[in-house]
Amino acid sequence: MDMQVSFLDRLFDSGLLIETGVDGLYGRSGQFEDVIAAFERLIDRIGGGDGAEAIHFPPGMNRAYFETSGYMKSFPQLAGTVHSFCGNDHDHLSLLQCMEEGKDWTKEQKATDIALTPAACYPLYPTVAKRGPISMDGGLFDLQSYCFRHEPSKDPARQQLFRMREYVCMGTEAHVTTFRQTWMDRGVEMMKSIGLDVEIDVANDPFFGRAGRLLANNQRDQNLKFELLIPVTSQTNKTACMSFNYHQDAFGQKWGLSLTDGSVAHTACVGFGLERIALALFAQHGLDVAAWPEPVRKTLWG
Ligand code: ATP
Ligand code: ZN
Ligand code: MG
């Protein structure tokens, strides 16, 4: 009988996630947050010695940077922008009237200077570009942000507002590809240390439309994106809990990121899906954290 109840319903019933009436938009309990905090401390222990510069951006970014990033070319279906009422007294009255009549009151809203952050690393590239050339030792950054993607779903692992922890590396091709490989190895070890079944596979981003098909194939053929997969809601359809992305010099070109020898910087980023990792732990070890295997508890909480 219990098998009929979806994982999402069990998460609601246990209070770990809190319904809001919108698919993919949930509250998180203290217990859920405690698991994420413990996992982030594990990330700190593994990556803390690398000397990354920590920067936390809010979940909204400069819309001008968002436009330059080209996100609307590749993923228009996922984007979110912030709009606000910018009218006068008269406009306010008609707005209220519109709401009263159950009509679309949002049409008169104007785009603000803020777009919702689609991935934790997006605000970083223009920020670093403004600082001038990157030293030949490379740049390493440690980011965490809530991210928005318009992909409503009943799958608890596909949320519309979720957190991404990222390490971003900028430097020579050799430097950033080594960084990516190091984190693929570390990621596998980390997940094993908390009792999760892992698998790494080549992947692609969901580029929009017919032209996007080509971009996706190209990304795959060139091994530019790998995912670390863990069973969350299904044993056969595993969930990407980390991704390892090599951008070649595409972001370097786009943002004018250069190295001190004048060459264009290559970049790579490694992202942890924090909610997905917490959900993988709950799926694997049960909803009662006190009953998790002792070695897992020890790795997470010491
Ligand atoms: P998927 O293929 O499942 O859509 P993705 O390729 O879009 O994942 P990335 O863009 O690489 O994911 O984002 C980095 C990480 O953020 C992913 O590995 C995943 O763990 C997490 N993530 C991505 N989309 C979501 C989402 N909608 N809800 C929760 N976590 C997500
Ligand atoms: Zn990134
Ligand atoms: Mg996706």
Side-chain angles (χ1 to χ4, degrees), residues 203-205 207 215-225:
N204 62 266
D205 287 312
F207 294 101
L215 293 172
N217 288 339
N218 178 55
Q219 190 182 28
R220 251 173 203 277
D221 293 345
Q222 296 194 260
N223 285 344
L224 298 183
K225 185 182 184 82

Side-chain angles (χ1 to χ4, degrees), residues 28 33 36 144-146 162-164 272-275:
R28 291 101 165 95
E33 290 300 289
I36 288 188
Q144 201 252 49
S145 178
Y146 257 101
F162 58 95
R163 272 160 294 177
M164 214 185 274
F272 294 84
L274 296 176
E275 282 76 10

Side-chain angles (χ1 to χ4, degrees), residues 31-47 163 165 167 183 186-196 228 230 241-242 271-281 292 296 299-301:
Q31 179 64 266
F32 192 91
E33 290 300 289
D34 191 34
V35 170
I36 288 188
F39 186 78
E40 284 213 83
R41 287 193 300 271
L42 175 60
I43 301 175
D44 293 338
R45 291 203 295 278
I46 304 297
R163 272 160 294 177
R165 173 83 179 259
Y167 283 101
W183 273 107
R186 285 173 171 178
V188 170
E189 284 311 310
M190 285 170 77
M191 300 308 174
K192 280 190 186 159
S193 77
I194 51 174
L196 298 174
L228 182 151
I230 309 178
C241 292
M242 286 186 74
F272 294 84
L274 296 176
E275 282 76 10
R276 286 188 178 181
I277 291 163
L279 291 168
L281 283 162
W292 286 6
V296 173
T299 304
L300 288 171
W301 286 282

Side-chain angles (χ1 to χ4, degrees), residues 60-72 80-83 110-117 255:
M61 65 179 286
N62 184 333
R63 177 159 62 91
Y65 291 161
F66 175 81
E67 288 162 5
T68 304
S69 79
Y71 198 80
M72 293 308 283
T81 46
V82 178
H83 287 62
K110 296 259 186 300
T112 67
D113 290 334
I114 296 174
L116 295 175
T117 306
W255 295 109

Side-chain angles (χ1 to χ4, degrees), residues 119-122 125 164 166 168 245 247 269-270:
C121 63
Y122 270 63
Y125 307 104
M164 214 185 274
E166 278 198 56
V168 181
N245 308 285
H247 317 122
C269 68
V270 168

Side-chain angles (χ1 to χ4, degrees), residues 212-260:
R213 226 4 203 287
L214 221 78
L215 293 172
N217 288 339
N218 178 55
Q219 190 182 28
R220 251 173 203 277
D221 293 345
Q222 296 194 260
N223 285 344
L224 298 183
K225 185 182 184 82
F226 288 95
E227 286 177 341
L228 182 151
L229 301 158
I230 309 178
V232 178
T233 45
S234 151
Q235 288 294 324
T236 46
N237 239 333
K238 297 180 185 180
T239 301
C241 292
M242 286 186 74
S243 74
F244 312 87
N245 308 285
Y246 173 39
H247 317 122
Q248 299 171 307
D249 64 357
F251 287 175
Q253 297 274 8
K254 178 173 310 256
W255 295 109
L257 292 163
S258 59
L259 304 181
T260 44

